[in-house]
Amino acid sequence: MVTTLARPGRELAKRLMLIQVSVVIFVAAGMALAVDVDWGIAALIGGGIFVVANMVFAVFAFLFSGARAAKLVAASFFAGEALKILITIALFSFVYVYMQVELVPLKLTYLLVLGINIFAPALFINNKK
């Protein structure tokens, strides 16, 4: 019963992750073909930073479910969000310090996937009853 209640949210998260990964790959390939291979790599890295951090959050967000585990659900959700932020900071720091990448496609793709993360769930809402 408990896993049945969390299943729609998990399915939504899987669909959102699939859309995000697809957009990152599509944008990176487009930039590599249209501008330069370095732009494609930077776009892949920028989008990858968001996708990896968001996947970690999704795992923590759905780690527990059910009314009896409400405190664990809330704690896991907030821990996942904190870890998502820390992973994002760590990955951006690593890229800035150790890699020579184009900053425009890196940040542009990150922001594009962030926008998808913000607006895509509204497209999934099904008001049929």
Side-chain angles (χ1 to χ4, degrees):
M1 177 68 180
V2 172
T3 56
T4 305
L5 296 174
R7 188 173 296 133
R10 288 181 180 148
E11 292 301 319
L12 178 65
K14 287 178 189 177
R15 287 180 28 198
L16 188 59
M17 292 294 157
L18 182 63
I19 290 171
Q20 290 172 352
V21 170
S22 301
V23 167
V24 168
I25 291 170
F26 180 74
V27 168
M31 285 189 182
L33 291 173
V35 181
D36 191 6
V37 174
D38 292 335
W39 275 55
I41 292 171
L44 190 65
I45 291 170
I49 289 172
F50 186 84
V51 169
V52 167
N54 208 27
M55 283 185 182
V56 171
F57 168 73
V59 167
F60 272 81
F62 293 106
L63 197 57
F64 302 102
S65 61
R68 292 183 188 194
K71 289 182 181 181
L72 290 174
V73 169
S76 180
F77 185 86
F78 288 120
E81 186 63 31
L83 193 57
K84 175 182 172 179
I85 293 168
L86 291 175
I87 287 172
T88 302
I89 291 169
L91 289 176
F92 267 119
S93 299
F94 178 82
V95 169
Y96 288 153
V97 172
Y98 295 111
M99 300 178 82
Q100 295 291 327
V101 295
E102 295 286 337
L103 295 180
V104 172
L106 178 87
K107 293 178 181 179
L108 189 66
T109 310
Y110 180 85
L111 291 174
L112 176 68
V113 181
L114 177 64
I116 290 170
N117 193 54
I118 293 170
F119 295 113
L123 300 174
F124 295 147
I125 294 173
N126 187 1
N127 291 328
K128 295 178 184 176
K129 292 187 179 188

Coordinates of all heavy atoms in Angstrom, one line a residue, residues 40-122:
G40 N 29.8 21.9 -27.6 CA 29.0 20.7 -27.3 C 29.4 20.0 -26.0 O 28.6 19.6 -25.2
I41 N 30.7 19.9 -25.8 CA 31.2 19.3 -24.6 C 30.8 20.1 -23.4 O 30.4 19.6 -22.3 CB 32.7 19.1 -24.7 CG1 33.0 18.0 -25.7 CG2 33.3 18.7 -23.3 CD1 34.5 17.9 -26.1
A42 N 31.0 21.5 -23.5 CA 30.6 22.3 -22.4 C 29.1 22.2 -22.1 O 28.7 22.2 -20.9 CB 31.0 23.8 -22.7
A43 N 28.3 22.2 -23.1 CA 26.9 22.0 -22.9 C 26.5 20.7 -22.2 O 25.7 20.7 -21.3 CB 26.1 22.1 -24.2
L44 N 27.2 19.7 -22.6 CA 27.0 18.3 -22.0 C 27.4 18.4 -20.5 O 26.7 17.8 -19.7 CB 27.8 17.3 -22.8 CG 27.5 15.8 -22.4 CD1 26.1 15.5 -22.8 CD2 28.5 14.9 -23.2
I45 N 28.5 19.0 -20.2 CA 28.9 19.1 -18.8 C 28.0 20.0 -18.0 O 27.6 19.6 -16.9 CB 30.4 19.7 -18.8 CG1 31.3 18.7 -19.3 CG2 30.7 20.0 -17.3 CD1 32.7 19.2 -19.5
G46 N 27.5 21.1 -18.5 CA 26.6 22.0 -17.8 C 25.3 21.3 -17.5 O 24.7 21.4 -16.4
G47 N 24.7 20.7 -18.5 CA 23.5 19.9 -18.3 C 23.6 18.7 -17.4 O 22.8 18.4 -16.6
G48 N 24.8 18.1 -17.6 CA 25.1 16.9 -16.8 C 25.2 17.2 -15.3 O 24.8 16.4 -14.4
I49 N 25.7 18.4 -15.0 CA 25.8 18.8 -13.6 C 24.4 18.9 -13.0 O 24.2 18.3 -11.9 CB 26.5 20.2 -13.4 CG1 28.0 20.0 -13.7 CG2 26.3 20.8 -12.1 CD1 28.7 21.3 -13.9
F50 N 23.5 19.5 -13.7 CA 22.1 19.6 -13.1 C 21.4 18.2 -13.0 O 20.8 17.9 -12.0 CB 21.2 20.5 -14.0 CG 19.9 20.7 -13.4 CD1 19.7 21.7 -12.4 CD2 18.8 19.9 -13.7 CE1 18.5 21.9 -11.8 CE2 17.6 20.1 -13.2 CZ 17.4 21.1 -12.2
V51 N 21.6 17.4 -14.1 CA 20.9 16.1 -14.1 C 21.4 15.2 -13.0 O 20.6 14.5 -12.3 CB 21.1 15.4 -15.5 CG1 20.6 14.0 -15.5 CG2 20.3 16.2 -16.5
V52 N 22.7 15.1 -12.8 CA 23.3 14.3 -11.7 C 22.8 14.7 -10.4 O 22.4 13.9 -9.5 CB 24.9 14.3 -11.8 CG1 25.5 13.7 -10.5 CG2 25.4 13.6 -13.0
A53 N 22.9 16.1 -10.1 CA 22.4 16.6 -8.8 C 20.9 16.3 -8.6 O 20.4 15.9 -7.5 CB 22.7 18.0 -8.7
N54 N 20.1 16.4 -9.7 CA 18.7 16.2 -9.6 C 18.4 14.7 -9.4 O 17.4 14.4 -8.7 CB 18.0 16.8 -10.8 CG 16.6 17.2 -10.5 OD1 16.2 17.5 -9.4 ND2 15.8 17.2 -11.6
M55 N 19.1 13.8 -10.0 CA 18.9 12.4 -9.7 C 19.2 12.0 -8.3 O 18.4 11.2 -7.7 CB 19.8 11.6 -10.7 CG 19.3 11.5 -12.1 SD 20.3 10.4 -13.1 CE 19.6 10.6 -14.7
V56 N 20.2 12.6 -7.7 CA 20.5 12.4 -6.3 C 19.3 12.8 -5.4 O 18.9 12.2 -4.5 CB 21.8 13.0 -5.8 CG1 22.0 13.0 -4.3 CG2 23.0 12.4 -6.5
F57 N 18.8 14.0 -5.8 CA 17.6 14.5 -5.0 C 16.4 13.6 -5.2 O 15.7 13.3 -4.2 CB 17.3 15.9 -5.5 CG 15.9 16.4 -5.0 CD1 15.8 16.8 -3.7 CD2 14.8 16.4 -5.8 CE1 14.5 17.2 -3.2 CE2 13.6 16.9 -5.4 CZ 13.5 17.2 -4.0
A58 N 16.2 13.1 -6.4 CA 15.0 12.2 -6.6 C 15.1 11.0 -5.8 O 14.2 10.5 -5.3 CB 14.9 11.9 -8.1
V59 N 16.3 10.4 -5.7 CA 16.5 9.2 -4.9 C 16.2 9.5 -3.5 O 15.5 8.7 -2.8 CB 18.0 8.7 -5.1 CG1 18.3 7.6 -4.0 CG2 18.2 8.1 -6.5
F60 N 16.7 10.6 -2.9 CA 16.4 10.9 -1.5 C 15.0 11.3 -1.3 O 14.4 10.9 -0.3 CB 17.3 12.1 -1.1 CG 18.7 11.6 -0.5 CD1 19.7 11.3 -1.4 CD2 18.9 11.5 0.8 CE1 20.9 10.9 -0.9 CE2 20.1 11.1 1.3 CZ 21.1 10.8 0.4
A61 N 14.3 11.9 -2.3 CA 13.0 12.4 -2.1 C 12.0 11.2 -2.0 O 11.0 11.3 -1.3 CB 12.5 13.3 -3.2
F62 N 12.3 10.1 -2.7 CA 11.4 8.9 -2.7 C 12.0 7.8 -1.9 O 11.6 6.6 -2.1 CB 11.1 8.5 -4.1 CG 10.3 9.6 -4.8 CD1 10.9 10.4 -5.8 CD2 9.0 9.7 -4.5 CE1 10.1 11.3 -6.5 CE2 8.2 10.7 -5.2 CZ 8.8 11.5 -6.1
L63 N 12.9 8.0 -1.0 CA 13.5 7.0 -0.2 C 12.5 6.4 0.7 O 12.5 5.1 0.9 CB 14.7 7.5 0.5 CG 15.7 6.6 1.1 CD1 16.3 5.7 0.0 CD2 16.9 7.3 1.8
F64 N 11.7 7.2 1.3 CA 10.7 6.7 2.3 C 9.3 7.2 1.7 O 9.2 8.1 1.0 CB 10.9 7.3 3.6 CG 12.2 7.0 4.2 CD1 13.2 7.9 4.3 CD2 12.5 5.7 4.8 CE1 14.5 7.6 4.8 CE2 13.7 5.4 5.3 CZ 14.7 6.4 5.3
S65 N 8.3 6.5 2.2 CA 6.9 6.9 1.8 C 5.9 6.4 2.9 O 6.2 5.4 3.6 CB 6.5 6.3 0.4 OG 6.5 4.9 0.4
G66 N 4.8 7.0 2.9 CA 3.8 6.5 3.9 C 3.6 7.5 5.0 O 4.5 8.3 5.4
A67 N 2.4 7.5 5.6 CA 2.1 8.4 6.7 C 2.9 8.1 8.0 O 3.2 9.0 8.7 CB 0.6 8.3 7.0
R68 N 3.2 6.8 8.2 CA 3.9 6.4 9.4 C 5.4 6.9 9.3 O 6.0 7.1 10.4 CB 3.9 4.9 9.6 CG 2.5 4.4 9.9 CD 2.5 3.0 10.2 NE 1.2 2.5 10.3 CZ 0.8 1.3 10.8 NH1 1.8 0.5 11.2 NH2 -0.4 1.0 10.9
A69 N 5.9 7.1 8.2 CA 7.3 7.6 8.0 C 7.3 9.1 7.6 O 8.3 9.5 6.9 CB 7.9 6.7 6.9
A70 N 6.4 9.9 8.1 CA 6.3 11.3 7.7 C 7.5 12.0 8.0 O 8.0 12.8 7.3 CB 5.0 11.9 8.3
K71 N 8.0 11.8 9.2 CA 9.2 12.5 9.7 C 10.4 12.1 8.8 O 11.3 12.9 8.5 CB 9.5 12.3 11.1 CG 8.5 13.0 12.0 CD 8.9 12.7 13.5 CE 7.8 13.5 14.4 NZ 8.1 13.3 15.8
L72 N 10.5 10.8 8.5 CA 11.6 10.3 7.7 C 11.5 10.8 6.2 O 12.5 11.2 5.6 CB 11.6 8.8 7.6 CG 12.1 8.1 8.9 CD1 11.9 6.6 8.8 CD2 13.5 8.4 9.2
V73 N 10.3 11.0 5.7 CA 10.0 11.5 4.4 C 10.5 13.0 4.4 O 11.3 13.4 3.4 CB 8.6 11.4 4.0 CG1 8.3 12.2 2.7 CG2 8.2 10.0 3.8
A74 N 10.1 13.8 5.3 CA 10.5 15.2 5.4 C 12.0 15.3 5.5 O 12.7 16.1 4.8 CB 9.8 15.9 6.5
A75 N 12.6 14.5 6.4 CA 14.1 14.6 6.6 C 14.8 14.2 5.4 O 15.8 14.8 5.0 CB 14.5 13.7 7.8
S76 N 14.4 13.1 4.8 CA 15.0 12.7 3.5 C 14.9 13.7 2.4 O 15.8 13.9 1.6 CB 14.4 11.3 3.1 OG 15.1 10.8 2.0
F77 N 13.7 14.3 2.3 CA 13.5 15.3 1.3 C 14.5 16.5 1.5 O 15.1 16.9 0.5 CB 12.1 15.8 1.4 CG 11.7 16.8 0.3 CD1 11.3 16.3 -1.0 CD2 11.8 18.1 0.5 CE1 10.9 17.2 -2.0 CE2 11.5 19.0 -0.5 CZ 11.0 18.5 -1.8
F78 N 14.6 17.0 2.7 CA 15.5 18.1 3.0 C 16.9 17.7 2.8 O 17.7 18.5 2.4 CB 15.2 18.7 4.3 CG 13.9 19.5 4.4 CD1 12.8 19.1 5.2 CD2 13.6 20.6 3.5 CE1 11.6 19.8 5.2 CE2 12.4 21.3 3.5 CZ 11.4 20.9 4.4
A79 N 17.3 16.5 3.2 CA 18.7 16.1 3.1 C 19.0 16.0 1.6 O 20.1 16.3 1.2 CB 18.8 14.7 3.8
G80 N 18.0 15.5 0.8 CA 18.3 15.4 -0.6 C 18.4 16.7 -1.3 O 19.3 16.9 -2.2
E81 N 17.7 17.7 -0.9 CA 17.8 19.1 -1.4 C 19.1 19.7 -1.0 O 19.8 20.3 -1.8 CB 16.7 20.0 -0.9 CG 16.6 21.3 -1.6 CD 16.4 21.3 -3.1 OE1 15.8 20.4 -3.6 OE2 17.0 22.2 -3.7
A82 N 19.5 19.5 0.2 CA 20.8 20.0 0.7 C 22.0 19.3 -0.1 O 22.9 20.0 -0.5 CB 21.0 19.8 2.2
L83 N 21.9 18.0 -0.3 CA 22.9 17.3 -1.0 C 22.9 17.7 -2.5 O 24.0 17.8 -3.1 CB 22.7 15.8 -0.9 CG 23.8 14.9 -1.3 CD1 25.1 15.2 -0.6 CD2 23.4 13.4 -1.1
K84 N 21.8 18.0 -3.0 CA 21.7 18.5 -4.4 C 22.4 19.8 -4.6 O 23.2 20.0 -5.5 CB 20.2 18.7 -4.8 CG 20.0 19.3 -6.2 CD 18.5 19.4 -6.5 CE 18.2 20.2 -7.7 NZ 16.8 20.3 -8.0
I85 N 22.2 20.7 -3.7 CA 22.9 22.0 -3.7 C 24.4 21.8 -3.5 O 25.2 22.4 -4.3 CB 22.4 23.0 -2.7 CG1 20.9 23.3 -3.0 CG2 23.2 24.2 -2.5 CD1 20.2 24.0 -1.9
L86 N 24.8 21.0 -2.6 CA 26.3 20.7 -2.4 C 26.9 20.1 -3.6 O 28.1 20.4 -4.0 CB 26.5 19.9 -1.1 CG 26.1 20.6 0.2 CD1 26.3 19.6 1.4 CD2 27.1 21.8 0.4
I87 N 26.2 19.1 -4.2 CA 26.8 18.4 -5.4 C 26.9 19.4 -6.5 O 27.9 19.4 -7.3 CB 25.9 17.2 -5.8 CG1 26.1 16.1 -4.8 CG2 26.2 16.8 -7.2 CD1 25.1 15.0 -5.0
T88 N 25.9 20.3 -6.7 CA 26.0 21.3 -7.7 C 27.2 22.2 -7.5 O 28.0 22.5 -8.5 CB 24.7 22.1 -7.8 OG1 23.6 21.2 -8.0 CG2 24.7 23.2 -8.9
I89 N 27.4 22.7 -6.3 CA 28.5 23.6 -6.0 C 29.8 22.8 -6.2 O 30.7 23.4 -6.8 CB 28.4 24.1 -4.5 CG1 27.2 25.0 -4.4 CG2 29.7 24.7 -4.1 CD1 26.9 25.3 -2.9
A90 N 29.9 21.6 -5.8 CA 31.2 20.8 -6.0 C 31.5 20.6 -7.4 O 32.6 20.7 -7.9 CB 31.1 19.5 -5.2
L91 N 30.5 20.2 -8.2 CA 30.7 20.0 -9.6 C 31.1 21.2 -10.4 O 32.0 21.2 -11.2 CB 29.5 19.3 -10.2 CG 29.3 17.8 -9.8 CD1 28.0 17.3 -10.4 CD2 30.5 16.9 -10.1
F92 N 30.4 22.3 -10.1 CA 30.7 23.6 -10.8 C 32.2 24.0 -10.4 O 32.9 24.5 -11.2 CB 29.7 24.7 -10.5 CG 28.6 24.8 -11.5 CD1 27.3 24.6 -11.1 CD2 28.9 25.1 -12.8 CE1 26.3 24.7 -12.1 CE2 27.9 25.2 -13.8 CZ 26.6 25.0 -13.4
S93 N 32.5 23.9 -9.1 CA 33.8 24.2 -8.6 C 34.9 23.4 -9.3 O 35.9 23.9 -9.8 CB 33.9 24.0 -7.1 OG 33.0 24.9 -6.5
F94 N 34.6 22.1 -9.4 CA 35.6 21.2 -10.1 C 35.8 21.6 -11.6 O 36.9 21.7 -12.1 CB 35.1 19.7 -10.0 CG 36.0 18.8 -10.7 CD1 37.1 18.3 -10.1 CD2 35.7 18.3 -12.0 CE1 37.9 17.4 -10.8 CE2 36.5 17.5 -12.7 CZ 37.6 17.0 -12.1
V95 N 34.7 21.9 -12.3 CA 34.7 22.3 -13.7 C 35.5 23.6 -13.8 O 36.4 23.8 -14.7 CB 33.3 22.4 -14.3 CG1 33.4 23.1 -15.6 CG2 32.7 21.0 -14.4
Y96 N 35.2 24.6 -13.0 CA 35.9 25.9 -13.1 C 37.4 25.8 -12.8 O 38.2 26.5 -13.4 CB 35.3 26.9 -12.1 CG 33.9 27.4 -12.5 CD1 33.0 27.8 -11.6 CD2 33.5 27.4 -13.8 CE1 31.7 28.3 -11.9 CE2 32.2 27.8 -14.2 CZ 31.4 28.3 -13.2 OH 30.1 28.7 -13.5
V97 N 37.8 24.9 -11.8 CA 39.2 24.9 -11.4 C 40.0 24.0 -12.3 O 41.1 24.3 -12.7 CB 39.3 24.4 -10.0 CG1 40.7 24.1 -9.6 CG2 38.7 25.4 -9.0
Y98 N 39.4 22.8 -12.7 CA 40.3 21.8 -13.4 C 40.0 21.6 -14.9 O 40.7 20.9 -15.5 CB 40.1 20.4 -12.7 CG 40.6 20.4 -11.3 CD1 39.7 20.3 -10.2 CD2 42.0 20.5 -11.0 CE1 40.2 20.3 -8.9 CE2 42.4 20.5 -9.7 CZ 41.5 20.4 -8.7 OH 42.0 20.4 -7.4
M99 N 39.0 22.3 -15.4 CA 38.7 22.1 -16.8 C 38.7 23.4 -17.6 O 38.3 24.5 -17.0 CB 37.3 21.4 -17.0 CG 37.3 20.0 -16.3 SD 35.7 19.3 -16.5 CE 35.8 18.6 -18.1
Q100 N 39.1 23.4 -18.8 CA 39.0 24.6 -19.7 C 37.8 24.4 -20.6 O 37.8 23.7 -21.6 CB 40.3 24.7 -20.5 CG 41.5 25.0 -19.7 CD 41.5 26.4 -19.1 OE1 40.9 27.3 -19.7 NE2 42.0 26.5 -17.9
V101 N 36.6 25.0 -20.2 CA 35.4 24.8 -21.0 C 34.9 26.2 -21.3 O 35.2 27.2 -20.6 CB 34.3 24.0 -20.2 CG1 34.8 22.6 -20.0 CG2 33.9 24.6 -18.9
E102 N 34.1 26.3 -22.3 CA 33.4 27.5 -22.7 C 32.3 27.7 -21.7 O 31.5 26.8 -21.4 CB 32.8 27.4 -24.1 CG 33.8 27.2 -25.2 CD 34.5 28.5 -25.5 OE1 34.0 29.6 -25.2 OE2 35.6 28.5 -26.0
L103 N 32.2 28.9 -21.1 CA 31.3 29.2 -20.0 C 29.9 29.5 -20.5 O 28.9 29.2 -19.8 CB 31.8 30.4 -19.2 CG 33.1 30.1 -18.4 CD1 33.4 31.4 -17.6 CD2 32.9 28.9 -17.5
V104 N 29.7 30.0 -21.7 CA 28.4 30.3 -22.2 C 27.5 29.1 -22.4 O 26.4 29.0 -21.9 CB 28.5 31.2 -23.5 CG1 27.1 31.3 -24.2 CG2 29.1 32.5 -23.3
P105 N 28.0 28.1 -23.1 CA 27.2 26.9 -23.3 C 27.0 26.1 -22.0 O 26.0 25.5 -21.7 CB 27.9 26.0 -24.3 CG 29.3 26.5 -24.3 CD 29.2 28.0 -24.0
L106 N 28.0 26.2 -21.1 CA 28.0 25.5 -19.8 C 26.8 26.0 -19.0 O 25.9 25.3 -18.6 CB 29.3 25.6 -19.1 CG 29.4 25.0 -17.7 CD1 29.8 23.6 -17.8 CD2 30.3 25.8 -16.8
K107 N 26.8 27.3 -18.8 CA 25.7 27.9 -18.0 C 24.4 28.0 -18.7 O 23.3 27.8 -18.1 CB 26.2 29.4 -17.7 CG 27.3 29.4 -16.7 CD 27.8 30.8 -16.4 CE 29.0 30.8 -15.5 NZ 29.4 32.2 -15.2
L108 N 24.4 28.1 -20.0 CA 23.2 28.2 -20.8 C 22.4 26.8 -20.7 O 21.2 26.8 -20.5 CB 23.4 28.5 -22.3 CG 22.2 28.8 -23.1 CD1 21.5 30.1 -22.7 CD2 22.7 29.0 -24.6
T109 N 23.1 25.8 -20.9 CA 22.5 24.4 -20.8 C 22.0 24.1 -19.4 O 20.9 23.6 -19.2 CB 23.4 23.3 -21.3 OG1 24.0 23.7 -22.6 CG2 22.7 22.0 -21.5
Y110 N 22.8 24.5 -18.4 CA 22.4 24.3 -17.0 C 21.1 25.1 -16.8 O 20.1 24.5 -16.2 CB 23.5 24.8 -16.0 CG 23.1 24.7 -14.6 CD1 23.3 23.5 -13.9 CD2 22.5 25.7 -13.9 CE1 22.9 23.3 -12.6 CE2 22.1 25.6 -12.6 CZ 22.3 24.4 -11.9 OH 21.9 24.2 -10.6
L111 N 21.0 26.3 -17.2 CA 19.8 27.1 -17.0 C 18.6 26.6 -17.8 O 17.5 26.6 -17.3 CB 20.0 28.6 -17.3 CG 21.0 29.3 -16.4 CD1 21.3 30.7 -16.9 CD2 20.4 29.3 -15.0
L112 N 18.9 26.0 -19.0 CA 17.8 25.4 -19.8 C 17.2 24.2 -19.1 O 16.0 24.1 -19.0 CB 18.3 25.0 -21.2 CG 17.4 24.3 -22.1 CD1 16.3 25.3 -22.5 CD2 18.1 23.7 -23.3
V113 N 18.0 23.4 -18.6 CA 17.5 22.2 -17.9 C 16.9 22.6 -16.6 O 15.9 22.0 -16.2 CB 18.7 21.2 -17.6 CG1 18.1 19.9 -17.0 CG2 19.3 20.8 -19.0
L114 N 17.4 23.6 -15.9 CA 16.7 24.1 -14.7 C 15.3 24.6 -15.1 O 14.3 24.4 -14.3 CB 17.5 25.3 -14.1 CG 16.9 26.0 -12.9 CD1 16.8 25.0 -11.7 CD2 17.8 27.1 -12.5
G115 N 15.2 25.3 -16.2 CA 13.8 25.8 -16.6 C 12.9 24.6 -16.9 O 11.7 24.7 -16.6
I116 N 13.4 23.6 -17.5 CA 12.6 22.4 -17.8 C 12.2 21.8 -16.4 O 11.0 21.4 -16.3 CB 13.4 21.3 -18.6 CG1 13.6 21.8 -20.0 CG2 12.7 20.0 -18.6 CD1 14.6 21.0 -20.8
N117 N 13.0 21.8 -15.5 CA 12.7 21.2 -14.2 C 11.6 22.0 -13.5 O 10.8 21.5 -12.8 CB 13.9 21.2 -13.3 CG 13.7 20.4 -12.0 OD1 13.4 19.2 -12.1 ND2 14.0 21.0 -10.9
I118 N 11.6 23.3 -13.8 CA 10.6 24.2 -13.1 C 9.2 24.1 -13.8 O 8.2 24.0 -13.2 CB 11.1 25.7 -13.1 CG1 12.3 25.8 -12.2 CG2 9.9 26.6 -12.8 CD1 13.0 27.1 -12.3
F119 N 9.2 24.1 -15.2 CA 8.0 24.2 -15.9 C 7.4 22.8 -16.4 O 6.2 22.7 -16.7 CB 8.1 25.1 -17.1 CG 8.4 26.5 -16.7 CD1 9.6 27.1 -17.0 CD2 7.4 27.2 -16.1 CE1 9.9 28.4 -16.6 CE2 7.7 28.5 -15.7 CZ 8.9 29.1 -15.9
A120 N 8.2 21.8 -16.5 CA 7.7 20.5 -17.1 C 6.6 19.8 -16.2 O 5.7 19.3 -16.7 CB 8.8 19.6 -17.3
P121 N 6.7 19.9 -14.9 CA 5.7 19.2 -14.1 C 4.3 19.8 -14.4 O 3.3 19.0 -14.3 CB 6.1 19.5 -12.7 CG 7.6 19.6 -12.7 CD 7.9 20.3 -14.0
A122 N 4.2 21.0 -14.8 CA 2.9 21.6 -15.1 C 2.3 20.9 -16.3 O 1.1 20.8 -16.5 CB 3.0 23.1 -15.3

